[in-house]
Amino acid sequence: MQTTDLIQVDQQHLVFHLHNDKISYLFRVIPEIGQLENYYYGPRIQQPSLDGHLNERELRPGNNLLTGNYTTSLEAIRQEYPVFGTTDFRQGAYAIRYPDGDEITAFKYASYQVTAGYPDLGELPHARYGDETAATLTITLHDENSPLTLQLHYTINTTNALIIRSSTFSNSPQSETTYQLTKALSANLDLPNADYDLIHLHGAWAKEMQIQRQPLMVGRMSIDSDRGASSHQHNPFIALAATNADEQQGQVYGAALLYSGNFLAQVEVDNYAVTRLSLGISPTQFTWQLTPGTSFQTPEVVLSCTTTGLNGMSHEFHDFYRRHLIDQRWADQPKPILINNWEATYFDFNETKLLQLATKAQAVGLDLFVLDDGWFGRRDSDTGSLGNWTVDRHKLPAGLPHLVSAIHQLGLKFGLWFEPEMISTDTPLFQAHPEWRLGHPDKNISHGRNQYVLDFSNPQVVTAIFEQMAAILHSTKIDYIKWDMNRYISEAFSPYLAAQQQGELYHRYIMGVYHLYSLLAQSFPELMIESCAGGGGRFDAGMLYYAPQAWASDDTDAIERLKIQYGASLGYPLQAISSHVSAVPNHQVGRITPLQTRGDVAMFGTFGYELDITKLSEAELAQIKRQIAFVKQQQHLLLTGEFTRLASPFTSNQPAWQVYDRQSGRGLIAAYQILSPANPPYRRLRLQGLDPEQTYQLTRIDAHYQLGQPILVHGDELMNLGIIFSEDYSERTADYWNRPQPHDFASQLFALKAVADLQL
Ligand code: GLA
């Protein structure tokens, strides 16, 4: 499909039709009032009728914009980007305060423009790459009551069932007035019915990405974060699933914000069953001074529409992020399999201990050694030293380059932990610049984990931290950074910003974070960064623009991780979900799970280990070696194949998922058992998304990652009849008393491979 075909404009009726082979998005300008009305967002329609029958104008009581007209009530019109208070009493997408103190806006359609490619939003995360396969429609509206301009951007590409939206507010250079933008969400979608369930991911530290699904109600439902980060509590991703939709079928709208700061996702159902979905920067404590000649750009929202269940939605997000969001230096590339010393040593290590870990890591085939918290300042606990990014000579007397070169000599890459946004009061940085800490100097400033947040809205602070990090990165070859962020912002106040700009703090803060990421990317182009925030406290699509993977949770227990990774996969590709094999008893929940299961869960993500490998038995080391070899062999499939959820750990004792790559015909299936049932019922696992007529080799993978005897089976059988788990004991009835017993927390992998069409 040509990009010029992606956006059709009926110039006479001012109807705009964005479409590709999968979706159509349709809206128009209402001639009488110059406002934008949504007609449709759903599966592709070929040619919308333009004879007016798409107009919905019931006669209803309400306030009307035009005298003598009963059909200009915005309350009764499905709009593109509504405002509260001018005949619409629902929640608006934006709000502007005028010098008189009123908030009465009147933006009217002025013009449109179609451009090739994705808009470049500078350091604000945005869709990118493949401009030849995307087109953007920009609608410009002028405010009748001010010199303000509003631009709505809509991007569509040739392959994905989604559109990308954002908006830009601009104050004319000729203006003499500053206007206050008190709300600026990124997008709004008014749907003509309300038969949906709201699905979102909620949690807390060590239990992120829990899926909640509930029917919409008349009224408002919202999730948000006002913590300065996207948060463990709510993820900036929601879905509206038709009430009958499940993983495999049914209509689903997905909405994700490419942003890592405060957000609001809201769904409002009115009394006519219209569902209003809106998403963007949280309006809490947000006020942007729109001074003459300046603009405010909202983050982008990705809005998907699919009819193939939640998996269908996830496939679109996964594919889109891999191709158009994650930095192409890292996307789909082999990921180093790492060992991290955090759960092995916590703060208690020295060079000898680290080299012992690294030596064992090298022997089992690992690629990257990551030195976590505790290497800098004088940090034996979490009580100080953040902001003093100089090596602790008590722990590493020979210095960091010495350690790093020893690790490089082993043939491993080296990674280092930083928490750049934080400051402890015992540091030279704080002594020199107490005003660089966020908080009001005359009021209480709360600590979180004994630490304070640096004022990243102040460019000087970002530069100073960059210089400290750059000094370390120049001192030796560091291949990887784990960028952590372990507390939220409260009592938000910037000593740097003027009083009237305090409402800009949260957004300026996160832009400062993005700026530091940019500086590092420019100066150290080979450096890969993993994002982390006390586990998954900033696991969002905005971060993925800069850091190709994110530590999903500080909970490393395999059984807990089934839920966390299953939940995360709703909106994020496996290659973004960092997951490690850790020790047993597990440090968060005390559970003892088999090493095989820990590996079989963690490999469905970016794989690594986080345990004291020097304390393992020879048998365990041998098993880890086999595990690593197996993951290396399967890694391309795991990171780039289509991931499909088969059975949910939230509802099933036997969760399962698969990765399948249509092109190569290869797949990997994992079936887990949480608790082992006595005298179990039959178990069959139906696969998804295979070619029904294709012959496949299905191979059970044993506990030592050896392939068993393959069976040949057609795709339709695997999808309909499924993989049979029960054993055939018909010729072995005597085995009743000594048959192998199942156990709790078990896992089973199967490999799938398309083969030439053999006679079955
Ligand atoms: C956070 C991270 C952990 C670890 C510690 C170090 O909790 O999520 O992985 O890095 O900080 O303090």
Side-chain angles (χ1 to χ4, degrees):
M1 179 175 240
Q2 300 289 306
T3 53
T4 42
D5 294 340
L6 292 171
I7 298 171
Q8 283 168 359
V9 181
D10 180 306
Q11 309 225 10
Q12 187 197 344
H13 302 93
L14 286 177
V15 175
F16 302 91
H17 184 197
L18 292 89
H19 61 80
N20 56 26
D21 292 340
K22 294 175 176 170
I23 52 161
S24 280
Y25 190 99
L26 199 61
F27 66 97
R28 70 152 182 164
V29 179
I30 307 170
E32 308 92 287
I33 54 177
Q35 308 238 8
L36 303 179
E37 174 177 19
N38 183 276
Y39 270 155
Y40 174 74
Y41 184 28
R44 169 77 200 264
I45 49 174
Q46 292 304 317
Q47 195 59 55
S49 49
L50 297 174
D51 58 5
H53 96 259
L54 294 174
N55 300 344
E56 296 169 305
R57 287 295 178 279
E58 291 290 333
L59 288 175
R60 288 179 184 153
N63 293 5
N64 282 276
L65 284 173
L66 300 184
T67 313
N69 187 315
Y70 272 26
T71 58
T72 54
S73 175
L74 292 172
E75 186 176 15
I77 294 174
R78 294 194 298 110
Q79 296 159 75
E80 281 300 294
Y81 198 64
V83 70
F84 166 81
T86 49
T87 76
D88 191 350
F89 300 94
R90 293 168 292 179
Q91 294 285 290
Y94 68 97
I96 293 164
R97 187 160 304 130
Y98 293 79
D100 288 349
D102 68 296
E103 296 191 4
I104 307 164
T105 63
F107 279 103
K108 296 207 166 152
Y109 173 82
S111 61
Y112 78 89
Q113 199 185 6
V114 176
T115 45
Y118 298 94
D120 180 357
L121 305 189
E123 290 181 352
L124 191 59
H126 55 273
R128 55 184 165 178
Y129 308 126
D131 278 341
E132 60 292 349
T133 55
T136 298
L137 168 69
T138 296
I139 303 285
T140 301
L141 303 104
H142 291 310
D143 185 11
E144 288 198 327
N145 303 330
S146 73
L148 297 180
T149 300
L150 167 61
Q151 290 186 308
L152 304 180
H153 312 284
Y154 300 78
T155 304
I156 183 165
N157 70 19
T158 51
T159 46
N160 292 115
L162 51 84
I163 60 164
I164 303 132
R165 289 188 54 183
S166 74
S167 41
T168 318
F169 293 86
S170 306
N171 191 356
S172 157
Q174 280 79 47
S175 164
E176 287 172 359
T177 311
T178 293
Y179 297 88
Q180 292 177 7
L181 194 54
T182 56
K183 186 176 189 181
L185 301 186
S186 298
N188 178 89
L189 179 65
D190 283 357
L191 295 164
N193 57 311
D195 309 327
Y196 300 106
D197 292 338
L198 172 63
I199 297 177
H200 80 282
L201 303 169
H202 70 96
W205 174 78
K207 50 177 185 178
E208 299 86 343
M209 302 287 185
Q210 307 296 305
I211 298 176
Q212 184 158 50
R213 175 172 185 161
Q214 47 199 55
L216 296 186
M217 62 169 200
V218 178
R220 285 177 217 145
M221 292 161 84
S222 67
I223 60 155
D224 59 27
S225 167
D226 292 319
R227 296 163 180 264
S230 49
S231 87
H232 301 82
Q233 280 67 22
H234 297 287
N235 197 269
F237 159 83
I238 60 169
L240 289 181
T243 46
N244 65 356
D246 57 25
E247 283 285 12
Q248 321 303 356
Q249 61 76 39
Q251 184 156 27
V252 182
Y253 293 95
L257 188 65
L258 307 190
Y259 191 63
S260 314
N262 290 351
F263 75 92
L264 170 69
Q266 185 161 283
V267 182
E268 178 170 11
V269 176
D270 74 8
N271 306 82
Y272 302 102
V274 166
T275 302
R276 170 166 289 180
L277 182 165
S278 45
L279 182 54
I281 294 177
S282 168
T284 302
Q285 291 193 5
F286 172 86
T287 303
W288 195 270
Q289 304 294 323
L290 213 51
T291 54
T294 63
S295 294
F296 182 80
Q297 171 64 47
T298 71
E300 289 186 336
V301 158
V302 179
L303 271 179
S304 71
C305 175
T306 47
T307 53
T308 44
L310 293 166
N311 274 313
M313 170 196 69
S314 300
H315 295 160
E316 292 297 336
F317 277 102
H318 296 178
D319 184 74
F320 180 68
Y321 288 170
R322 281 173 41 217
R323 292 173 206 278
H324 299 292
L325 180 68
I326 297 175
D327 193 320
Q328 294 299 292
R329 283 175 300 169
W330 319 116
D332 289 4
Q333 298 304 310
K335 294 278 155 58
I337 302 184
L338 64 84
I339 181 151
N340 177 304
N341 75 309
W342 178 242
E343 286 198 12
T345 65
Y346 295 104
F347 296 102
D348 183 15
F349 58 81
N350 54 29
E351 188 180 273
T352 312
K353 178 70 193 172
L354 298 178
L355 288 177
Q356 281 167 354
L357 289 171
T359 306
K360 284 272 184 214
Q362 189 273 336
V364 293
L366 285 159
D367 305 312
L368 166 67
F369 181 87
V370 180
L371 175 53
D372 209 278
D373 194 355
W375 59 269
F376 52 91
R378 192 74 196 89
R379 187 157 162 99
D380 292 330
S381 69
D382 66 5
T383 51
S385 295
L386 294 166
N388 179 8
W389 301 108
T390 54
V391 72
D392 179 355
R393 292 274 176 171
H394 294 87
K395 287 183 191 167
L396 302 173
L400 199 59
H402 188 263
L403 171 73
V404 175
S405 82
I407 285 180
H408 281 154
Q409 269 164 28
L410 285 169
L412 296 176
K413 293 184 172 198
F414 182 80
L416 194 60
W417 183 95
F418 281 96
E419 198 177 357
E421 300 153 70
M422 297 295 151
I423 187 154
S424 310
T425 49
D426 64 352
T427 54
L429 187 67
F430 184 77
Q431 306 309 325
H433 289 290
E435 78 286 4
W436 283 4
R437 168 171 68 162
L438 275 184
H440 195 294
D442 303 331
K443 297 185 179 174
N444 181 52
I445 304 176
S446 302
H447 79 94
R449 210 193 188 203
N450 309 302
Q451 66 199 47
Y452 299 91
V453 186
L454 280 167
D455 184 1
F456 265 41
S457 75
N458 180 349
Q460 271 184 303
V461 176
V462 176
T463 307
I465 293 298
F466 171 70
E467 281 167 3
Q468 282 204 48
M469 293 176 82
I472 293 281
L473 295 168
H474 281 305
S475 73
T476 180
K477 171 88 174 76
I478 291 172
D479 308 288
Y480 169 104
I481 282 182
K482 178 177 171 190
W483 176 325
D484 210 339
M485 197 280 294
N486 275 307
R487 62 155 291 182
Y488 295 123
I489 297 172
S490 60
E491 298 105 356
F493 179 84
S494 162
Y496 166 76
L497 294 174
Q500 70 274 16
Q501 281 189 302
Q502 293 298 327
E504 302 179 1
L505 170 57
Y506 284 112
H507 182 63
R508 286 186 183 274
Y509 176 89
I510 204 70
M511 291 307 292
V513 170
Y514 292 146
H515 184 54
L516 182 53
Y517 267 106
S518 284
L519 290 174
L520 289 167
Q522 282 157 24
S523 302
F524 305 96
E526 288 171 17
L527 180 71
M528 186 170 117
I529 303 184
E530 170 170 301
S531 78
C532 172
R538 206 161 57 187
F539 193 116
D540 57 64
M543 275 293 127
L544 280 190
Y545 180 90
Y546 288 105
Q549 61 194 51
W551 182 227
S553 178
D554 278 351
D555 190 343
T556 57
D557 171 65
I559 300 306
E560 296 284 300
R561 275 291 187 132
L562 284 172
K563 285 186 179 167
I564 292 167
Q565 292 171 212
Y566 189 99
S569 78
L570 236 51
Y572 304 95
L574 290 198
Q575 62 180 263
I577 306 171
S578 182
S579 34
H580 298 167
V581 171
S582 63
V584 289
N586 173 265
H587 290 199
Q588 291 76 40
V589 297
R591 187 175 286 126
I592 295 176
T593 52
L595 183 51
Q596 182 193 350
T597 306
R598 282 176 271 154
D600 289 355
V601 174
M603 70 176 68
F604 287 82
T606 52
F607 190 56
Y609 291 79
E610 184 164 340
L611 74 181
D612 190 344
I613 193 169
T614 64
K615 295 200 176 126
L616 299 183
S617 68
E618 285 306 317
E620 286 170 314
L621 288 171
Q623 174 72 339
I624 286 182
K625 201 170 177 174
R626 286 189 291 263
Q627 223 160 36
I628 292 168
F630 179 77
V631 172
K632 285 191 175 168
Q633 198 192 11
Q634 301 286 331
Q635 201 188 39
H636 184 71
L637 171 66
L638 283 161
L639 299 181
T640 65
E642 188 173 83
F643 177 75
T644 301
R645 295 172 298 270
L646 300 175
S648 167
F650 293 93
T651 51
S652 167
N653 187 36
Q654 294 171 325
W657 50 44
Q658 67 171 52
V659 182
Y660 178 64
D661 174 42
R662 201 155 283 125
Q663 257 176 355
S664 64
R666 285 186 181 271
L668 187 67
I669 299 114
Y672 306 96
Q673 172 151 283
I674 299 177
L675 293 180
S676 169
N679 196 7
Y682 294 116
R683 180 179 183 191
R684 286 180 179 189
L685 179 63
R686 294 183 183 87
L687 306 188
Q688 295 284 332
L690 310 181
D691 176 352
E693 286 166 21
Q694 174 68 49
T695 308
Y696 293 95
Q697 227 176 42
L698 178 74
T699 317
R700 205 176 266 260
I701 297 167
D702 76 10
H704 289 140
Y705 296 94
Q706 299 301 311
L707 300 183
Q709 203 48 40
I711 56 165
L712 290 178
V713 51
H714 273 130
D716 56 0
E717 182 181 320
L718 286 168
M719 292 193 288
N720 294 305
L721 202 150
I723 300 176
I724 296 190
F725 277 73
S726 328
E727 294 265 341
D728 179 3
Y729 277 99
S730 46
E731 304 296 324
R732 298 185 283 147
T733 48
D735 288 348
Y736 184 82
W737 295 108
N738 60 6
R739 70 194 191 282
Q741 291 302 322
H743 55 85
D744 291 348
F745 317 132
S747 62
Q748 174 66 61
L749 297 179
F750 298 89
L752 197 66
K753 184 177 159 199
V755 289
D757 206 7
L758 301 172
Q759 293 283 312
L760 288 185

